[in-house]
């Protein structure tokens, strides 16, 4: 957050300054010189906008090329070694790593997956070799955040506690060096901009409230974060229970992206439709047995990048819990349970093509081998609002349906 430490060529700074200054001069125009309330307010506003400008200049690196996505996103192709991660003191001057050995016994999920699962690249546009596509953070993104300081971060106070509801499957008590799953992608309704609905894989170690380490990847709908209701591919990490470290996507120095076809934080398209076509993504996170970094792969063999081991404390060795499933924020506005949906917005009992599911769930063991889950436990905070049903059959092995509509007669 230190705005003094950004290094950037002068030109884009100037362009940004002009843009930002021109837009934040607007509110000042009609203030009566004797109106101290307004003057005070606009001075605060000005301070905030200056902070935002400094942050944007730090976060957004000079692109080699920019692709405009139909959803309004700007996807900046940034030279790989200039991405924000390399502002981290421990990465300064370093080169992005090559992918390590992948886990053994990797099986295909049996579903058709392509690299073209994101809206921005559907027109055939792509980032040149040597660059990575990065969703540009805009002034509007920052203005929507409750505080500039906490932009892109989960609130530590209410992290996995008050107001968050889960329907998840998990394994714990072992030593996990990675996890894999295929999950259907949906576009659940999110009732208020400050609520979200997500489906993801968690790798967890440490404990709340101080030293929880997590690696998270999946899809989410989060209007306050992205300014729309689109389903987006996202990542998250923290090494202190969401307090001071970590962030979504590439918004803080941390995750190093190495792939030039997938943009983290960008819209996924298409999504599954009720009783219609089902679309899923398959994700694998695994720890490089040699260097200890945690790598992320999409589909079968599309390596996206890595979380350097030094970001973490407990996760420097291994995860003690691996979790899969959905999470929503329920702010209980006006005393009612939110009608924000989880998964497809339909309960687990509706089954295939109607409820969301996770399948092909595996964990990685110390020998860098993918192994099926032995004791999948399930948990739903409030099964009348969102539930989960584990299943097992010969074709899919272990899997589960999960989700729900939120507010309904049994979930007032
Ligand atoms: C002063 O400015 C504030 C904010 O723009 C406005 O609400 C208020 O009516 C103004 N007061 C006077 C006396 O003009
Ligand atoms: C994984 O691979 C090993 C050999 O490398 C084999 O012995 C084992 O049966 C395989 N396990 C599964 C679940 O495919
Ligand atoms: C997002 O969804 C909510 C709830 O359905 C709706 O009220 C809102 O207008 C939508 N926002 C956008 C930007 O589409």
């Amino acid at each position: 957050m230190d705005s003094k430490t950004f290094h950037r060529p002068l030109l884009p700074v100037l362009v940004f300054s002009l843009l930002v200054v021109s837009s934040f001069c607007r509110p000042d125009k009609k203030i009566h010189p004797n109106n101290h309330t307004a003057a005070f307010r606009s001075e605060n506003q000005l301070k905030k906008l200056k902070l935002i400008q400094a942050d944007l200049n730090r976060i957004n690196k000079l692109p080699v090329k920019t692709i405009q996505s139909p959803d309004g996103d700007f996807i900046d192709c940034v030279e790989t070694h200039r991405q924000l991660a390399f502002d981290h003191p421990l990465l300064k001057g370093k080169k992005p790593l090559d992918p390590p050995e992948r886990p053994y016994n990797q099986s295909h999920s049996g579903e058709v997956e392509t690299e073209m699962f994101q809206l921005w690249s559907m027109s055939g546009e792509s980032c040149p070799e040597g660059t990575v596509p990065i969703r540009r953070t805009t002034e509007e993104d920052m203005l929507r955040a409750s505080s500039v300081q906490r932009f892109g971060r989960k609130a530590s106070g209410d992290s996995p506690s008050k107001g968050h509801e889960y329907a998840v499957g998990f394994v714990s008590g072992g030593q996990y060096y990675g996890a894999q799953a295929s999950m259907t992608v949906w576009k659940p309704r999110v009732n208020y901009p400050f609520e979200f609905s997500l489906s993801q894989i968690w790798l967890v170690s440490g404990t709340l409230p101080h030293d929880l380490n997590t690696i998270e990847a999946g899809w989410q709908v989060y209007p306050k974060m992205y300014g729309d209701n689109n389903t987006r591919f996202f990542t998250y990490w923290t090494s202190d229970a969401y307090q001071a470290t970590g962030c979504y996507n590439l918004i803080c120095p941390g995750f190093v992206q190495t792939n030039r076809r997938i943009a983290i934080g960008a819209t996924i398209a298409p999504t599954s439709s009720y009783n219609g076509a089902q679309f899923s993504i398959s994700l694998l996170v695994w720890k490089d047995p040699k260097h200890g970094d945690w790598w992320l792969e999409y589909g079968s063999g599309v390596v996206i990048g890595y979380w350097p081991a030094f970001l973490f404390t407990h996760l420097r060795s291994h995860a003690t819990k691996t979790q899969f499933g959905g999470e929503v924020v329920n702010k209980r506005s006006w005393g009612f349970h939110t009608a924000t949906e989880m998964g497809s917005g339909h309960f687990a009992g509706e089954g295939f093509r109607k409820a969301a599911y996770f399948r092909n769930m595996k964990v990685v063991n110390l020998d860098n081998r993918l192994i099926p889950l032995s004791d999948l436990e399930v948990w739903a905070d409030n099964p009348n609002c969102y539930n989960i049903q584990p299943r097992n059959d010969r074709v899919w092995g272990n899997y589960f349906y999960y989700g729900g509509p939120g507010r309904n007669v049994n979930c007032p």
Side-chain angles (χ1 to χ4, degrees):
M1 289 296 139
D2 183 358
S3 57
K4 278 168 288 183
T5 60
F6 67 84
H7 305 279
R8 256 178 88 98
L10 196 58
L11 183 63
V13 175
L14 271 177
V15 173
F16 256 118
S17 312
L18 290 175
L19 281 175
V20 174
V21 168
S22 66
S23 58
F24 70 60
C25 280
R26 238 178 280 130
D28 299 5
K29 274 183 192 150
K30 286 190 188 123
I31 294 171
H32 191 276
N34 296 331
N35 188 335
H36 296 294
T37 313
F40 179 71
R41 198 181 289 166
S42 81
E43 200 175 298
N44 273 352
Q45 178 81 341
L46 210 73
K47 257 191 209 145
K48 184 178 176 185
L49 288 163
K50 273 188 183 152
L51 269 179
I52 288 178
Q53 182 198 1
D55 268 345
L56 288 174
N57 283 334
R58 190 179 48 78
I59 294 170
N60 295 315
K61 302 299 180 190
L62 179 65
V64 167
K65 172 182 175 181
T66 295
I67 297 162
Q68 187 164 14
S69 171
D71 58 4
D73 280 2
F74 291 98
I75 304 296
D76 287 332
C77 306
V78 172
E79 284 173 282
T80 310
H81 64 282
R82 286 182 197 245
Q83 63 187 295
L84 184 59
F86 290 94
D87 284 7
H88 194 290
L90 294 176
L91 284 177
K92 272 237 162 78
K94 298 236 167 104
K95 290 230 164 70
L97 299 171
D98 291 326
E101 208 166 355
R102 291 160 67 234
Y104 306 106
N105 288 22
Q106 201 160 16
S107 58
H108 289 260
S109 62
E111 283 159 55
V112 182
E113 282 163 351
T114 72
E115 282 182 51
M116 293 294 181
F117 75 116
Q118 294 192 310
L119 204 57
W120 71 274
S121 56
M122 279 183 180
S123 64
E125 281 277 17
S126 67
C127 278
E129 202 131 353
T131 69
V132 288
I134 295 176
R135 178 185 182 270
R136 187 186 298 171
T137 299
T138 64
E139 195 187 1
E140 296 77 57
D141 290 341
M142 291 242 177
L143 284 170
R144 279 192 309 274
S146 29
S147 104
V148 176
Q149 281 74 21
R150 293 211 59 86
F151 171 71
R153 301 221 219 118
K154 293 191 182 177
S156 62
D158 63 7
S159 54
S161 53
K162 275 260 176 295
H164 289 231
E165 292 186 17
Y166 300 80
V168 291
F170 62 92
V171 289
S172 58
Q175 300 187 351
Y176 309 107
Y177 295 83
Q180 174 190 288
S182 296
M183 61 192 100
T184 41
V185 181
W186 293 84
K187 192 180 171 181
R189 183 168 80 135
V190 171
N191 228 29
Y192 305 105
F194 45 83
E195 295 184 336
F196 64 65
S197 179
L198 65 76
S199 294
Q200 65 173 18
I201 300 175
W202 286 259
L203 284 153
V204 182
S205 192
T207 50
L208 285 169
H210 299 301
D211 67 353
L212 187 81
N213 286 207
T214 73
I215 283 176
E216 308 172 32
W219 58 260
Q220 69 178 170
V221 177
Y222 193 179
K224 187 166 175 177
M225 172 91 185
Y226 302 102
D228 60 26
N229 292 322
N230 292 351
T231 303
R232 288 162 180 279
F233 175 56
F234 83 101
T235 58
Y236 200 91
W237 67 274
T238 179
S239 61
D240 64 354
Y242 309 104
Q243 295 175 84
T245 63
C247 59
Y248 280 109
N249 306 335
L250 304 176
I251 291 165
C252 65
F255 188 86
V256 179
Q257 180 157 349
T258 57
N259 182 287
R260 69 184 174 97
R261 300 190 195 282
I262 290 172
I264 300 174
T267 301
I268 301 177
T271 54
S272 304
S273 47
Y274 185 75
N275 214 8
Q278 302 295 292
F279 294 95
S280 68
I281 57 172
S282 170
L283 297 175
L284 164 68
V285 178
W286 84 104
K287 192 171 165 63
D288 175 359
K290 276 211 192 91
H291 302 104
D293 306 309
W294 292 87
W295 285 78
L296 174 64
E297 182 183 279
Y298 164 80
S300 2
V302 183
V303 173
I304 297 176
Y306 60 95
W307 291 269
F310 64 69
L311 296 175
F312 302 104
T313 53
H314 296 285
L315 281 177
R316 270 189 214 188
S317 45
H318 54 79
T320 54
K321 184 179 186 184
T322 299
Q323 187 167 283
F324 311 86
E327 174 183 354
V328 300
V329 177
N330 166 33
K331 291 284 190 192
R332 278 203 89 82
S333 305
W334 297 290
F336 294 110
H337 190 285
T338 184
T340 286
E341 300 172 333
M342 180 190 290
S344 68
H346 293 263
F347 285 115
E350 292 198 35
F352 189 56
R353 279 212 227 102
K354 294 174 177 166
Y357 65 80
F358 271 71
R359 69 182 201 90
N360 200 28
M361 290 174 282
K362 294 197 174 135
V363 289
V364 179
N365 70 10
L366 179 60
D367 300 326
N368 201 24
R369 246 170 238 292
L370 273 161
I371 52 172
L373 308 180
S374 43
D375 298 299
L376 182 74
E377 295 180 62
V378 295
W379 169 260
D381 286 293
N382 207 341
N384 289 329
C385 309
Y386 315 102
N387 68 357
I388 176 163
Q389 281 183 8
R391 307 262 181 112
N392 193 301
D393 65 37
R394 264 211 235 133
V395 182
W396 277 13
N398 267 327
Y399 63 101
F400 64 73
Y401 291 108
Y402 71 101
R407 185 160 76 229
N408 68 77
V409 284
N410 299 315
C411 170

